[in-house]
Amino acid sequence: MMRTPRRAPRSDARENRARIIEAAHTAFTGDPSASLQAIARAACVGQGTMYRHFPDREALLLAVYRDELDALVAAAPLLLRAYGPLEALRRWFERLAADARANGGASLAVAAATRAGRRHPPVVAAVELLLRAGKEAGQVRQDAEAEEVLALGSCLWRTDDGRADGGTPCPERSTRMLTVIIDGLRADARP
């Protein structure tokens, strides 16, 4: 069976997608819980156009914050060159938690994907790289899996749990929680 080549999106479709992403970036910067309906209105597109490009909120978040996610993914091998595997993993998660405290987009996108049970393969691959290095060095327990560690680490950037008084970021709590996660991943942590 011969498949016809997929043609490039029409210019108006590309423009609609770009407007949606721009409107979403603006909306999420002001209010991370902005509705898709409000974003569609701001982008001057209908609901059908919005959902044709982005079937759900998580897909939109991943598109809006692609650059931040790419930078986070690219940080993993750089951290491994500069630090031991466990310290590199700690610093990778610290970077993600700091992004959340600054209301950054990478943490929003990763949290949304984690909450929806959706995998974001490059982010999972970055955590897998860090874990594999730790396993090979004998520092990380062999049964640690990237998706589970990422889901566990998601507690670090949940703003409702990481604030001391409902508005003031609480980085000390995040640091303590990350220490518990890292200690639990140590190869010698098994009972």
Side-chain angles (χ1 to χ4, degrees):
M1 181 166 145
M2 189 167 165
R3 299 174 91 191
T4 58
R6 189 171 183 196
R7 57 178 200 181
R10 297 183 337 220
S11 63
D12 62 329
R14 285 191 308 269
E15 290 168 8
N16 285 342
R17 181 179 173 83
R19 270 200 324 272
I20 292 168
I21 290 173
E22 184 178 328
H25 191 275
T26 300
F28 291 146
T29 300
D31 177 11
S33 65
S35 73
L36 295 184
Q37 186 176 20
I39 293 167
R41 265 194 314 273
C44 299
V45 300
Q47 293 287 5
T49 299
M50 167 68 94
Y51 286 102
R52 191 168 29 259
H53 289 282
F54 304 103
D56 54 35
R57 177 181 199 76
E58 291 75 26
L60 180 57
L61 280 163
L62 290 171
V64 168
Y65 296 113
R66 179 176 313 274
D67 290 344
E68 288 93 333
L69 287 171
D70 288 348
L72 183 66
V73 168
L78 299 174
L79 288 168
L80 275 175
R81 282 196 286 273
Y83 304 98
L86 276 174
E87 184 61 21
L89 182 65
R90 170 187 294 282
R91 288 177 182 261
W92 191 86
F93 273 112
E94 284 175 346
R95 180 178 177 154
L96 194 52
D99 179 82
R101 285 191 297 276
N103 293 321
S107 59
L108 286 174
V110 173
T114 303
R115 202 173 34 252
R118 172 181 289 163
R119 290 180 37 152
H120 185 61
V123 173
V124 173
V127 175
E128 180 57 40
L129 175 72
L130 294 164
L131 290 175
R132 189 172 43 252
K135 290 174 186 180
E136 290 170 1
Q139 295 178 0
V140 172
R141 50 193 292 167
Q142 294 298 313
D143 62 347
E145 294 186 19
E147 289 185 42
E148 293 171 352
V149 172
L150 191 57
L152 186 60
S154 70
C155 68
L156 301 172
W157 58 80
R158 291 194 179 130
T159 56
D160 57 338
D161 292 341
R163 298 195 182 252
D165 61 5
T168 305
C170 185
E172 297 83 18
R173 182 175 185 194
S174 181
T175 300
R176 286 191 309 271
M177 292 167 72
L178 181 55
T179 298
V180 170
I181 292 169
I182 296 296
D183 286 350
L185 288 170
R186 291 185 190 283
D188 58 2
R190 287 193 103 165

